């Protein structure tokens, strides 16, 4: 690639700073890394020696001792693995970090095998034995995790059956997921890029569904689907096997009550089935608003219907508008001011992240794409990773990741067992931070092009969460119900998928995406099913918290307390204690949906102003 000297100087002023990882380790082959690995080995050896004691007449003291050792082992392993993956994000060719990752895999495998007996003990022991186990002050903080896991103890098979199931799953359900990953990594899409006929991988073609050129997006979408259609028999075999495996496991686990295929995913998300039902009823009620938003997005592109290739379309480019670029320092000012409006300490937190060199925002040739927030278990300090290039969406991404970092910061003094939360609550602080900054940017936007950029993101989110996510859920649920009788053919899967699109997008839709069951990776993740509704929950829940911001007394204190409890309460308990709402009651959700209507109105008014 040619490097333009002016562009280089320009990027120097716009891009973000590099992060500092040296506070953790000097290098992936530093003596301190070896020392931590040795310490892990010693801890795991001790656990291995203790494990036999779990079958003793009184296993409680042994279980408590194993738990304490496991906390230290996990902390060290997490620290090392975060360090290695942070290094690889910045330079994917970092050989020393690659080497460390390889070594850690064996440690992690050994650790999870050695800790399985403790997990079975806490799941299967009688209530009074578990109560005694939890009496130790260092173990007591795990009581939420233990009791949540025990809710499904009536599904547990015999130890031999569980071991057999988990060893067979490697070449069973997980092999189908691997097959899909290999297919999606190797199949080629033929398409016109500009005037040139090209053959590109699926990931590259998917990148072309995010460009402003409407015709190019559509061509990329059709090329992707043509490629998947050639492999539809393999995909159908995989998706039928994955669902069939899970349904069979549910049947085997139904000894004392009928286990439903939605039991595991809702339990994992720490929400009740009743909450999921309410959530989908509310999404159905929000459908007209979201369909209106989708129609407006199509109108902005001068067409009648929203196409499946428009899901990740950027705002249309306006005539005569020039690219606006927000330097990193200015972005931090915007975010710190918006966060600081909730409470000064939140603004100070943002500035501290930068001052401590905990944010990686440089532009580099070997950086991995994407953005994330992670944290070091030993020092309990967060890190934010992204490639900052100055666009409005970069500012919003930065605000999102700093939200995750704030969430971790607020929880940093809690026991490690209370710091992890389900996917449904995981996006609370990030979506909140995003909404804060989007509103601040909208207020500060001076040109219609800037306003369009920001409102577009918001409207895309509404359409994505309220129409696309339920489309995925509805297909998957209908598929599992039918799959219980027999495997489905590719044409049946296409029809079922098209029906789900029509149900949710209604009149706003140009045409459905019949191949969405094949081209969407989420249906092939072998470790987790229904990887869809937690997104809808997270979006509506955090927008609900955001809507409380201007109405509730002492909002900040309550917000902080809510975040702190995300790792030790179910979503229902959290909403009850901090928002005084019942999640199985539509009222809370409908208030949130109604708070979004003015945003769709504002979007329509802007399109009118722009004569789009
Ligand atoms: Zn996030």
């Amino acid at each position: 690639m040619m490097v333009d000297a002016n562009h280089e100087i320009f990027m120097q002023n716009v891009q973000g700073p590099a992060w500092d990882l040296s506070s953790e380790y000097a290098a992936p082959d530093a003596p301190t890394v070896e020392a931590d690995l040795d310490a892990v080995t010693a801890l795991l050896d001790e656990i291995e020696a203790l494990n036999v004691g779990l079958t003793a007449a009184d296993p409680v003291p042994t279980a408590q001792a194993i738990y304490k050792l496991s906390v230290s082992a996990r902390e060290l392993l997490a620290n090392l693995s975060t360090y290695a993956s942070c290094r690889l994000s910045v330079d994917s060719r970092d050989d020393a970090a690659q080497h460390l990752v390889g070594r850690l895999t064996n440690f992690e495998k050994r650790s999870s095998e050695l800790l399985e007996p403790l997990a079975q003990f806490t799941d299967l022991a009688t209530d009074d034995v578990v109560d005694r186990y939890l009496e130790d002050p260092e173990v007591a903080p795990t009581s939420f995790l233990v009791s949540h896991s025990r809710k499904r103890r009536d599904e547990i098979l015999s130890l031999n059956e569980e071991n057999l199931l988990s060893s067979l799953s490697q070449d069973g359900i997980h092999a189908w997921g691997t097959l899909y990953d290999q297919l999606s990594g190797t199949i080629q899409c033929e398409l016109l890029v500009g005037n040139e006929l090209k053959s590109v991988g699926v990931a590259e073609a998917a990148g072309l569904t995010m460009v402003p050129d409407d015709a190019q997006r559509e061509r990329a979408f059709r090329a992707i689907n043509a490629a998947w259609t050639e492999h539809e028999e393999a995909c159908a075999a995989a998706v039928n096997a994955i669902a069939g495996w899970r349904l069979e496991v549910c049947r085997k686990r139904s000894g004392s009550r009928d286990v439903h295929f939605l039991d595991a995913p809702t339990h994992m998300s720490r929400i009740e089935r009743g909450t999921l039902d309410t959530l989908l009823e509310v999404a159905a009620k929000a459908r007209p608003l979201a369909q209106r938003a989708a129609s407006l997005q199509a109108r902005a592109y001068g067409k009648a219907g929203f196409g499946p290739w428009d899901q990740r379309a950027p705002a249309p480019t306006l005539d005569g508008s020039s690219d606006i670029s927000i330097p990193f320092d200015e972005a931090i000012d915007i975010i710190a001011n918006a966060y600081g409006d909730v409470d000064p300490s939140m603004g100070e937190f943002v500035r501290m992240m930068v001052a401590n060199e905990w944010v990686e925002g440089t532009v580099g040739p070997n950086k991995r794409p994407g953005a994330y927030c992670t944290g070091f278990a030993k020092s309990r300090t967060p890190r934010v990773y992204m490639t900052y290039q100055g666009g409005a969406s970069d500012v919003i991404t930065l605000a999102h990741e700093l939200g995750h970092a704030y969430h971790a910061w607020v929880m940093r003094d809690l026991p490690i067992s209370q710091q992890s939360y389900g996917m449904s609550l995981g996006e609370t602080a990030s979506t909140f931070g995003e909404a804060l900054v989007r509103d601040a940017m909208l207020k500060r936007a001076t040109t219609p092009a800037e306003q369009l950029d920001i409102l577009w993101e918001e409207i895309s989110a509404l359409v994505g969460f309220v129409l696309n996510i339920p489309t995925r859920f509805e297909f998957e649920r209908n598929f599992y119900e039918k799959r219980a009788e027999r495997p489905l053919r590719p044409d049946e899967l296409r029809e079922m998928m098209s029906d789900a699109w029509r149900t949710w997008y209604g009149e706003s839709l140009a045409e459905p995406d019949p191949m969405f069951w094949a081209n969407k990776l989420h249906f092939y993740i072998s470790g987790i099913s229904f990887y869809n509704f937690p997104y809808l929950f997270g979006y509506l829940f955090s927008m609900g918290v955001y809507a409380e911001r201007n109405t509730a007394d002492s909002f900040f204190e309550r917000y902080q307390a809510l975040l702190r409890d995300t790792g030790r309460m179910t979503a229902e308990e959290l909403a009850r204690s901090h928002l005084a709402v019942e999640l199985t009651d539509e009222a809370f959700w409908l208030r949130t949906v109604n708070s979004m209507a003015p945003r769709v109105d504002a979007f329509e008014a802007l399109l009118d102003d722009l004569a789009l």
Side-chain angles (χ1 to χ4, degrees), residues 118-389:
L118 177 65
Q120 294 199 345
F121 163 79
T122 54
D123 277 345
L124 296 173
T126 58
D127 286 345
D128 42 292
V129 169
V130 169
D131 287 346
R132 272 200 298 125
Y133 168 73
L134 292 170
E135 272 168 17
D136 185 302
E138 279 180 65
V139 181
T142 66
S143 81
F144 170 76
L145 285 185
V146 168
S147 69
H148 187 66
S149 180
R150 282 169 71 83
K151 283 180 191 162
R152 293 183 67 208
R153 61 195 292 244
D154 55 354
E155 299 175 21
I156 297 173
L157 307 172
S158 73
L159 188 59
N160 279 342
E161 286 172 317
E162 288 291 347
N163 286 339
L164 184 65
L165 188 57
S166 93
S167 61
L168 289 179
S169 66
Q170 288 311 320
D171 290 319
I173 184 169
H174 299 313
W176 293 104
T178 307
L179 168 72
Y180 182 85
D181 289 343
Q182 279 166 350
L183 267 180
S184 73
T186 49
I187 66 176
Q188 293 287 306
C189 311
E190 308 283 334
L191 78 155
L192 268 181
V193 181
N195 295 321
E196 204 183 332
L197 188 63
K198 274 188 157 182
S199 179
V200 300
V202 175
E204 194 176 341
L208 292 168
T209 65
M210 297 189 278
V211 299
D213 179 351
D214 191 18
Q216 180 69 74
R217 283 201 311 278
E218 185 178 340
R219 282 200 300 272
F221 162 79
R222 296 200 188 283
I224 292 169
N225 276 0
W228 280 115
T229 303
E230 277 183 44
H231 296 277
E232 65 177 7
E233 290 291 354
C235 290
V239 86
N240 275 301
I242 289 171
W245 177 284
R246 289 191 181 120
L247 289 164
E248 187 57 28
V249 171
C250 284
R251 261 193 295 276
K252 292 275 186 281
R253 293 192 183 286
S254 295
S256 52
R257 68 179 165 86
D258 275 351
V259 175
H260 192 269
F261 56 78
L262 283 169
D263 289 349
T266 46
H267 181 264
M268 201 167 189
S269 274
R270 299 181 188 169
I271 68 169
E272 287 164 16
R273 284 285 300 280
T275 298
L276 176 60
D277 294 342
T278 308
L279 189 64
L280 283 147
E281 280 157 25
V282 168
K285 289 187 178 168
R287 204 154 50 189
L289 180 71
Q291 287 179 355
R292 199 180 129 217
S295 296
L296 288 169
Q297 285 195 297
R299 183 183 131 189
Y301 267 102
K303 54 188 190 177
F306 183 92
W309 54 88
D310 294 327
Q311 289 180 74
R312 296 167 78 187
T317 325
L318 299 178
D319 290 341
S321 73
S322 58
D323 275 354
I324 40 154
S325 201
I326 303 165
F328 182 83
D329 291 343
E330 206 179 314
I332 289 297
D333 283 340
I334 296 169
I335 298 169
N337 290 339
Y339 271 49
D341 263 356
V342 180
D343 189 81
S345 66
M346 283 181 71
E348 285 154 22
F349 167 78
V350 170
R351 298 197 184 280
M352 177 201 72
M353 285 293 293
V354 181
N356 286 347
E357 300 177 82
W358 290 347
V359 179
E360 165 58 50
T362 58
V363 178
N366 300 317
K367 277 186 77 168
R368 289 189 172 163
Y372 63 82
C373 171
T374 185
F376 285 105
K378 280 168 78 177
S379 59
R380 300 207 169 183
T381 55
R383 295 292 188 284
V384 159
Y385 174 88
M386 71 175 296
T387 294
Y388 185 86
Q389 295 179 283

Side-chain angles (χ1 to χ4, degrees), residues 495-534:
E495 201 176 306
M496 196 179 270
M497 185 48 99
S498 294
D499 285 347
W501 275 82
R502 287 191 205 98
T503 302
W504 284 90
Y505 285 79
E507 293 291 297
S508 70
L509 192 64
E511 62 181 72
D513 178 359
M515 291 304 290
F516 200 44
W517 62 273
N519 68 39
K520 190 75 209 166
L521 159 78
H522 290 182
F523 299 121
Y524 297 84
I525 302 176
S526 57
I528 183 171
S529 60
F530 290 86
Y531 198 65
N532 35 53
F533 68 82

